[in-house]
Amino acid sequence: SQSSSLCKTTPSTAKSPRKIVFVGLEIHAQISSNSKLFSGSQVQFAAPPNSLVSFFDASLPGTLPVLNRRCVEAAVMTGLALNCSINKKSLFDRKHYFYADLPAGYQITQQRVPIAVNGSLSYSLCIDNKMSQMVTKTVRIKQIQLEQDSGKSLHDDTRSQTLVDLNRAGVGLMEVVMEPDMCCGEEAAAAVRELQLILQTLGSSQAVMAEGQLRVDANVSVHHPGEPYGVRTEVKNINSMRFLAKAIDYEIQRQIEELENGGTILNETRAFDSKLGCTVPMRDKEGQQDYRFMPEPNLPPLILYDAKSLPANMNHQQVINIDWIHERLPDLPSVKRKKLVEQYGILPEHSFTLLNEDGLAEFFESVVKQTQMKPKKVIGWILKDLLSYLKQHSLTVKESPVSSFLLADLLNLLEKKEISSTAAKQVLAELWKGEGKTPLEIVKEQKLELLQDQKELEQICQAVIDGHENEVMAIKAGNPKVLNKLIGLVQKKTQGRSNPVLVKQLLEKKLSG
């Protein structure tokens, strides 16, 4: 484990010796595909119950699985992006268990030889919530396997019955298994967020947690240094990044306190109750369930090729070429961040914010292309003004009423010194209303142009000096900070139409004269 000073693994009792914490993750990502893994049924979120169920999905006798090429390509792509070795021969297995939303009584998965193994994922996180201090860590990826999703059980408590919706049954999943290289909720959440960005960049999964397209199971164990590994518990089906960190940190704390008080940790499955903020036992794993794995008799081994092993006479539609997929991989988030920093001279932490918000990096680049303002200044407007407004109104970048073209237009007026930064903020406030006016029209309408008449500006500065004797005395007595108040008063009198740099020069000149 990469034990880290970032993660506070000791409980509140200061005397207790430090514990070693292991956190491993199993992540189920729904593959972005039009149809299911082994049937032609459509994949669609929130469709009417049981409207997307083929005979195979319902497990009617005599139906056979047909492997979906798109799902295999998505898994290969994901494996390559996570630095995995792709197995040219992988196998399908049946995992048996009885549940109402699993009509066949088994799930087709890849237990023995999965499609990808031995990868790694690098992720970054802040030290003490400071964006300016970031550390990069790596978690090993044990494997990625293809498998079917189950249906959905909807519990109707008022009628004491359970309803089954099989729309999700048979939808393709990639299970990404991460080794226990993390030691707190913050690390796990950062690793999952990076994985989510990679999946979305590749297009192999939309990975929207709110729609169940990314579900996380966390394995947590705690032990004293020098002792054997502790018993692990599994927290199942965590479906939000915030809950993931909370669930893991709660479970670490719970296990530490249990051990401190002389208790024992049970090998059990727990669920995170977001309302109570704690994990609760689900089902006991002590009688370890026997899944009775067996090879899937209706599917041959999955054979993949690379450029060297590809047979010459083979129909290219019938085979998957690993090298062909590798050559077409898009820039991954880590590469995109590096390019943003190198190309525009922005801070590394800003590159994280740009990529974390869907469409924000493209918006930023579009503004930079259309304005004379330096990228370092543009980023301030994007992060402080644009992003905070969007967050305040729960809007995505694509829903922004201010387009990149309008923002660039506004920043050009500011850069050409036609308006002050105070006036620019006023114009932006008008642009948010989405009334279709251009920045220049708003400037003209509200008379926000910079005062070009220096004599008029000098008179206003003099009037402010004359009316504020106490402040003037304070400045002359050696308190230069008071000058900012006078600059603000001039700005107020000119309704934000004066250039603060020029105002400062004029005031200093008059005060020193």
Side-chain angles (χ1 to χ4, degrees):
S1 165
Q2 300 166 333
S3 217
S4 141
S5 56
L6 293 170
C7 304
K8 296 167 181 57
T9 53
T10 46
S12 44
T13 47
K15 288 178 193 169
S16 66
R18 191 177 171 87
K19 300 283 190 302
I20 294 177
V21 176
F22 287 113
V23 178
L25 301 175
E26 291 166 18
I27 299 145
H28 290 92
Q30 184 182 311
I31 298 169
S32 180
S33 162
N34 294 330
S35 52
K36 296 184 181 180
L37 184 56
F38 297 117
S39 80
S41 300
Q42 204 186 335
V43 176
Q44 189 192 325
F45 180 67
N50 297 309
S51 60
L52 307 172
V53 187
S54 70
F55 290 159
F56 176 79
D57 304 330
S59 194
L60 295 188
T63 54
L64 291 170
V66 178
L67 182 57
N68 178 341
R69 179 193 178 101
R70 158 70 192 154
C71 293
V72 177
E73 288 176 336
V76 171
M77 207 188 290
T78 306
L80 291 171
L82 296 175
N83 311 302
C84 293
S85 302
I86 306 294
N87 281 325
K88 287 187 193 158
K89 178 183 178 182
S90 60
L91 306 171
F92 288 100
D93 305 282
R94 289 185 180 184
K95 175 183 181 177
H96 295 83
Y97 62 94
F98 177 75
Y99 210 71
D101 55 25
L102 191 77
Y106 61 83
Q107 174 198 40
I108 302 178
T109 180
Q110 292 192 301
Q111 191 248 349
R112 293 167 298 160
V113 186
I115 194 162
V117 292
N118 301 334
S120 63
L121 168 70
S122 291
Y123 61 95
S124 297
L125 66 164
C126 329
I127 302 174
D128 301 328
N129 283 331
K130 289 184 191 138
M131 279 299 279
S132 54
Q133 291 177 286
M134 300 195 87
V135 58
T136 300
K137 304 197 151 224
T138 301
V139 55
R140 290 168 298 150
I141 307 280
K142 185 185 180 198
Q143 64 189 58
I144 299 173
Q145 62 203 45
L146 280 167
E147 58 187 33
Q148 298 168 299
D149 208 345
S150 59
K152 223 173 187 177
S153 295
L154 306 153
H155 304 293
D156 183 347
D157 292 334
T158 48
R159 297 185 193 173
S160 305
Q161 64 180 13
T162 295
L163 303 167
V164 175
D165 177 8
L166 293 179
N167 280 349
R168 208 178 64 185
V171 166
L173 296 178
M174 293 177 282
E175 184 180 351
V176 180
V177 182
M178 292 186 182
E179 297 281 12
D181 294 341
M182 294 154 284
C183 65
C184 63
E186 193 189 356
E187 285 190 6
V192 172
R193 177 68 184 123
E194 189 66 12
L195 174 67
Q196 184 183 40
L197 280 175
I198 289 170
L199 294 171
Q200 289 168 343
T201 302
L202 296 171
S204 57
S205 171
Q206 289 167 4
V208 179
M209 285 190 123
E211 293 184 9
Q213 293 165 353
L214 199 68
R215 309 192 287 275
V216 183
D217 301 337
N219 292 301
V220 178
S221 79
V222 170
H223 68 273
H224 288 285
E227 287 185 7
Y229 291 156
V231 175
R232 68 175 183 153
T233 58
E234 184 176 21
V235 186
K236 292 288 273 189
N237 284 335
I238 308 164
N239 59 1
S240 101
M241 221 61 82
R242 205 161 45 95
F243 293 160
L244 174 63
K246 280 187 174 171
I248 289 170
D249 287 336
Y250 175 86
E251 186 55 24
I252 290 168
Q253 204 61 26
R254 185 191 73 81
Q255 290 189 25
I256 289 172
E257 279 165 18
E258 186 74 43
L259 292 172
E260 291 296 317
N261 298 330
T264 53
I265 305 297
L266 298 175
N267 176 219
E268 61 183 354
T269 306
R270 299 176 74 89
F272 180 66
D273 186 318
S274 54
K275 290 190 183 77
L276 298 174
C278 66
T279 63
V280 290
M282 277 170 69
R283 54 177 187 268
D284 197 0
K285 262 199 167 179
E286 271 189 316
Q288 191 71 44
Q289 208 167 350
D290 178 14
Y291 291 120
R292 303 192 316 283
F293 284 103
M294 62 171 271
E296 167 54 66
N298 294 326
L299 285 167
L302 172 57
I303 308 293
L304 306 176
Y305 297 90
D306 56 19
K308 280 184 200 157
S309 62
L310 194 65
N313 56 354
M314 192 75 93
N315 176 355
H316 287 276
Q317 295 301 310
Q318 294 298 311
V319 293
I320 286 173
N321 180 344
I322 300 164
D323 290 335
W324 190 87
I325 293 173
H326 199 258
E327 284 160 18
R328 283 157 183 77
L329 283 183
D331 276 351
L332 295 179
S334 54
V335 175
K336 280 187 188 171
R337 287 189 203 105
K338 207 172 161 203
K339 282 188 177 174
L340 285 168
V341 171
E342 284 170 4
Q343 198 173 336
Y344 301 111
I346 61 172
L347 295 169
E349 57 265 30
H350 290 164
S351 72
F352 275 88
T353 314
L354 285 180
L355 280 195
N356 275 344
E357 300 298 324
D358 189 27
L360 193 61
E362 291 77 9
F363 192 99
F364 165 72
E365 292 194 278
S366 177
V367 173
V368 169
K369 279 192 189 102
Q370 299 172 71
T371 177
Q372 284 107 44
M373 189 180 268
K374 286 199 168 84
K376 280 184 181 178
K377 279 168 83 178
V378 173
I379 194 85
W381 283 87
I382 296 269
L383 300 186
K384 285 196 191 100
D385 301 275
L386 180 91
L387 193 57
S388 54
Y389 175 90
L390 294 177
K391 286 243 158 74
Q392 218 175 319
H393 295 82
S394 303
L395 293 171
T396 64
V397 176
K398 289 180 177 69
E399 293 164 340
S400 169
V402 178
S403 66
S404 59
F405 172 75
L406 284 175
L407 185 60
D409 227 8
L410 172 61
L411 298 184
N412 277 336
L413 291 176
L414 182 59
E415 196 61 17
K416 288 180 199 157
K417 302 204 164 34
E418 288 179 28
I419 55 172
S420 69
S421 56
T422 315
K425 289 205 183 335
Q426 284 173 257
V427 175
L428 189 58
E430 284 297 311
L431 288 174
W432 286 128
K433 294 176 185 172
E435 291 168 355
K437 293 175 188 168
T438 67
L440 194 57
E441 284 166 355
I442 295 167
V443 167
K444 292 240 176 353
E445 233 172 66
Q446 303 200 2
K447 299 189 170 55
L448 293 170
E449 303 98 328
L450 265 188
L451 270 179
Q452 302 297 348
D453 187 342
Q454 191 155 335
K455 276 192 178 163
E456 190 185 342
L457 194 55
E458 280 186 28
Q459 285 165 358
I460 294 168
C461 288
Q462 193 59 54
V464 167
I465 288 170
D466 294 345
H468 296 83
E469 286 178 16
N470 291 347
E471 281 80 356
V472 171
M473 281 164 70
I475 293 165
K476 289 191 170 171
N479 187 352
K481 283 185 182 169
V482 183
L483 187 63
N484 289 336
K485 186 181 175 185
L486 296 187
I487 295 170
L489 289 163
V490 174
Q491 284 281 63
K492 203 172 177 186
K493 281 209 169 187
T494 61
Q495 293 170 315
R497 292 174 60 212
S498 52
N499 179 351
V501 179
L502 183 58
V503 170
K504 190 181 180 196
Q505 286 169 358
L506 290 173
L507 287 170
E508 282 174 341
K509 192 176 166 188
K510 286 182 182 296
L511 290 167
S512 62

